[in-house]
Amino acid sequence: LYDRAADAPVSHDYADPAFPRSARAHLAGWGEGWLHMAPVIGDAVRAGRADTLLVALGLIDLGFYTDADQTAANV
């Protein structure tokens, strides 16, 4: 998670310490686009035995490295 004090994505602490442990098992990359995360998603899904995959696409995915058609192909 992003740590404001360090001004970097180095924290594993949640703002609410009561946030459920089971909901903390996720794969995310601060400022990373789909193109950057795609190579590690398969292993993470297998290791965590995920039954749901939520992909949030945004500006980085569609505006910097690929266009909409390339992003769809990468998925």
Side-chain angles (χ1 to χ4, degrees), residues 26-27 34 37-38 40-42 44-46 49-56 75:
H26 58 77
L27 174 66
W34 172 257
M37 297 300 292
V40 299
I41 291 172
V45 168
R46 283 186 289 280
R49 302 186 63 201
D51 60 3
T52 303
L53 181 62
L54 170 66
V55 178
V75 172

Side-chain angles (χ1 to χ4, degrees), residues 2-60:
Y2 193 81
D3 183 329
R4 288 177 168 227
D7 194 27
V10 296
S11 177
H12 293 270
D13 297 331
Y14 280 72
D16 180 357
F19 194 80
R21 285 254 172 234
S22 61
R24 297 179 187 201
H26 58 77
L27 174 66
W30 182 264
E32 298 289 338
W34 172 257
L35 188 62
H36 302 102
M37 297 300 292
V40 299
I41 291 172
D43 289 340
V45 168
R46 283 186 289 280
R49 302 186 63 201
D51 60 3
T52 303
L53 181 62
L54 170 66
V55 178
L57 301 177
L59 180 61
I60 290 173

